[in-house]
């Protein structure tokens, strides 16, 4: 399971995030998604730590904390499949449109 870290500065780096989360345990991986169109950071990240206890400690300590001039939002990341079905609806609509011609 990953940790979601939101409301990040657009200047943050992977090393910045590793440094902060390393205070609570071993950081296995940091993912900083980029916007597909602009290439700019999207303002959030996912952090994988070594254990659930380390993740819980980091979430408890960092959720709501001010960092780089912003109040962080830190919680357990939700699985991808729980993010709604709007992508499937778009695909169904496009497919239906092509079938009519």
């Amino acid at each position: 399971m990953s940790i979601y870290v939101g409301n990040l500065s657009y200047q943050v780096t992977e090393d910045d995030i590793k440094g902060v989360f390393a205070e609570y345990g071993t950081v296995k991986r940091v993912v900083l998604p980029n916007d597909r169109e602009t290439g700019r950071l999207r303002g959030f990240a996912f952090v994988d730590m070594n254990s659930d206890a380390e993740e819980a400690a980091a979430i408890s300590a960092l959720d709501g904390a001010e960092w780089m001039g912003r109040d962080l939002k830190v919680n357990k990341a939700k699985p991808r499949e729980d993010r709604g079905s709007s992508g499937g609806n778009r695909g169904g609509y496009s497919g239906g449109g092509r079938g009519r011609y």
Side-chain angles (χ1 to χ4, degrees):
M1 186 59 87
S2 291
I3 298 170
Y4 167 84
V5 186
N7 201 30
L8 288 172
S9 164
Y10 293 109
Q11 283 72 46
V12 74
T13 67
E14 187 176 320
D15 287 338
D16 292 335
I17 293 171
K18 280 182 182 175
V20 169
F21 279 82
E23 294 180 33
Y24 305 97
T26 302
V27 177
K28 294 195 316 189
R29 184 175 70 132
V30 174
V31 177
L32 278 167
N34 290 344
D35 183 273
R36 289 181 191 153
E37 294 178 18
T38 65
R40 183 174 130 170
L41 292 176
R42 295 182 64 194
F44 64 91
F46 296 99
V47 178
D48 293 340
M49 298 190 74
N50 209 36
S51 72
D52 288 343
E54 292 173 351
E55 286 184 1
I59 291 168
S60 176
L62 297 173
D63 188 37
E66 186 179 334
W67 186 51
M68 297 178 82
R70 293 174 170 252
D71 293 335
L72 296 179
K73 179 169 175 59
V74 183
N75 53 41
K76 282 267 195 197
K78 294 178 180 155
R80 237 173 225 239
E81 58 269 16
D82 289 347
R83 300 251 170 112
S85 61
S86 62
N89 291 342
R90 274 197 315 267
Y93 177 77
S94 298
R98 283 189 299 249
R100 280 187 244 159
Y101 298 104

